[in-house]
Amino acid sequence: MDTSSKKLAILFISLSITLTTLTIYPTIKNIPSSIFFYYHPILMALAFYVCFPMGLLLLMAKVPGYSRKDKIVAHTYLQVVGSVACVAGGLAVYLNKEAGTTNKMDTSSKKLAILFISLSITLTTLTIYPTIKNIPSSIFFYYHPILMALAFYVCFPMGLLLLMAKVPGYSRKDKIVAHTYLQVVGSVACVAGGLAVYLNKEAFSKPHFTSFHGLFGLFVVVAVVLQLAYGLALRFKWPKIVIKNEWYNARILHKRAANIVLITALVVTFFALSSNFVVTNVQFGVRIFWGILIIVLALWCSTIALRFVRLK
């Protein structure tokens, strides 16, 4: 990578560290312990729908610039990341059950919470490891689906679902805090995912935004950043955005924009299956499998988004 790409790599590392800081934030700041439950699907989805399948797919695919040894190294790396995420996900739901409906943890549970934080930090260390150790730059590409899946199939839908669900021990204010947290984590993951594929193209001197997937993907990343800024303005009632009687209309606009951004992102995922890289390197049967999986997840996310718009 050239100097400009190395600067972007530093930004990517910073975003990864930020993502982990946001992951352990509820434990440190004592946000209601029931939020631990929402780490469970996030981390399990990261492990079983992204890291493990991508690790296997990487061994089978023809990846430009990758020798057999490079692929085994990357496969091992993805399986380790997935395994750490799996253990942390299991521990998260255990901590949630330990807290019970009181949202308070005893001494032994607090020790487990420290272990959970340690696993989260380990997960980030593994995330930035390829950048530090100079593993082939093409591995940046594999961060792209991992981080985008984390954002659009887990954090954003779960953030919407949390506002609609009846959660024991959660007041409306608690749910808004947790919703904000999940949307911030998802937004950071989205930006880092976009940056990852940009770094990969820079490493191979390939042009950017030449496909529908790239162009619409850029639109989605920009829209996510704007939507996050608008949501934070609503959350903290910044006067330049929310003025007197416009509060209700501002909320409606925020919800409808979230609906459009999420569904557009799901459409962008389909464009990815027809990209030159996927068509060239991924077997037809594997593309069909991923297509079916995407359809199922897209229907689930779209249903949540549409229900969210009707929520008062």
Side-chain angles (χ1 to χ4, degrees), residues 163-164 170-177 251 311-312:
L163 284 181
M164 296 184 291
Y170 255 32
S171 65
R172 173 69 180 175
K173 182 179 179 180
D174 290 335
K175 291 201 289 184
I176 290 174
V177 169
R251 285 178 60 235
L311 184 68
K312 293 183 179 180

Side-chain angles (χ1 to χ4, degrees), residues 38-48 82 85-86 88-89 92 116 123 154:
Y38 295 95
Y39 287 119
H40 179 68
I42 290 175
L43 293 167
M44 290 302 187
L46 176 64
F48 291 99
C86 175
F116 178 79
L123 198 58
V154 184

Side-chain angles (χ1 to χ4, degrees), residues 136-297:
S137 303
S138 52
I139 200 171
F140 272 119
F141 175 80
Y142 295 95
Y143 286 119
H144 179 66
I146 290 174
L147 293 167
M148 290 303 188
L150 175 65
F152 291 101
Y153 288 118
V154 184
C155 289
F156 293 152
M158 287 301 293
L160 302 182
L161 193 61
L162 179 59
L163 284 181
M164 296 184 291
K166 294 180 180 179
V167 185
Y170 255 32
S171 65
R172 173 69 180 175
K173 182 179 179 180
D174 290 335
K175 291 201 289 184
I176 290 174
V177 169
H179 167 80
T180 303
Y181 159 74
L182 285 168
Q183 303 313 291
V184 171
V185 172
S187 299
V188 173
C190 173
V191 173
L195 185 58
V197 77
Y198 185 90
L199 285 169
N200 181 69
K201 286 182 176 289
E202 281 291 299
F204 291 97
S205 301
K206 291 185 177 180
H208 301 282
F209 314 118
T210 57
S211 64
F212 283 116
H213 180 70
L215 289 171
F216 280 94
L218 177 62
F219 164 77
V220 168
V221 172
V222 172
V224 163
V225 173
L226 294 175
Q227 177 71 348
L228 176 65
Y230 189 68
L232 291 174
L234 287 173
R235 170 73 177 83
F236 297 104
K237 298 183 180 180
W238 291 336
K240 291 184 179 180
I241 303 295
V242 183
I243 304 173
K244 296 181 181 178
N245 297 328
E246 294 299 316
W247 168 251
Y248 177 77
N249 291 332
R251 285 178 60 235
I252 293 296
L253 177 61
H254 179 60
K255 290 194 290 186
R256 288 179 177 173
N259 190 22
I260 293 170
V261 171
L262 182 57
I263 292 176
T264 303
L266 301 176
V267 173
V268 170
T269 308
F270 284 102
F271 287 143
L273 294 177
S274 61
S275 67
N276 291 332
F277 178 86
V278 174
V279 171
T280 304
N281 297 290
V282 180
Q283 296 175 355
F284 180 74
V286 176
R287 297 205 306 273
I288 293 295
F289 167 77
W290 278 104
I292 294 172
L293 179 61
I294 289 170
I295 289 172
V296 172
L297 291 172

Side-chain angles (χ1 to χ4, degrees), residues 62-68 70-71 136-139 204 206 281:
K62 296 178 181 178
V63 185
Y66 254 32
S67 67
R68 175 68 179 175
D70 290 334
K71 292 201 289 184
S137 303
S138 52
I139 200 171
F204 291 97
K206 291 185 177 180
N281 297 290

Side-chain angles (χ1 to χ4, degrees), residues 48-88:
F48 291 99
Y49 290 114
V50 185
C51 290
F52 294 152
M54 284 300 294
L56 298 177
L57 189 63
L58 179 58
L59 286 179
M60 297 185 290
K62 296 178 181 178
V63 185
Y66 254 32
S67 67
R68 175 68 179 175
K69 182 179 179 181
D70 290 334
K71 292 201 289 184
I72 291 174
V73 169
H75 166 80
T76 304
Y77 159 75
L78 285 168
Q79 302 313 291
V80 172
V81 171
S83 298
V84 172
C86 175
V87 172

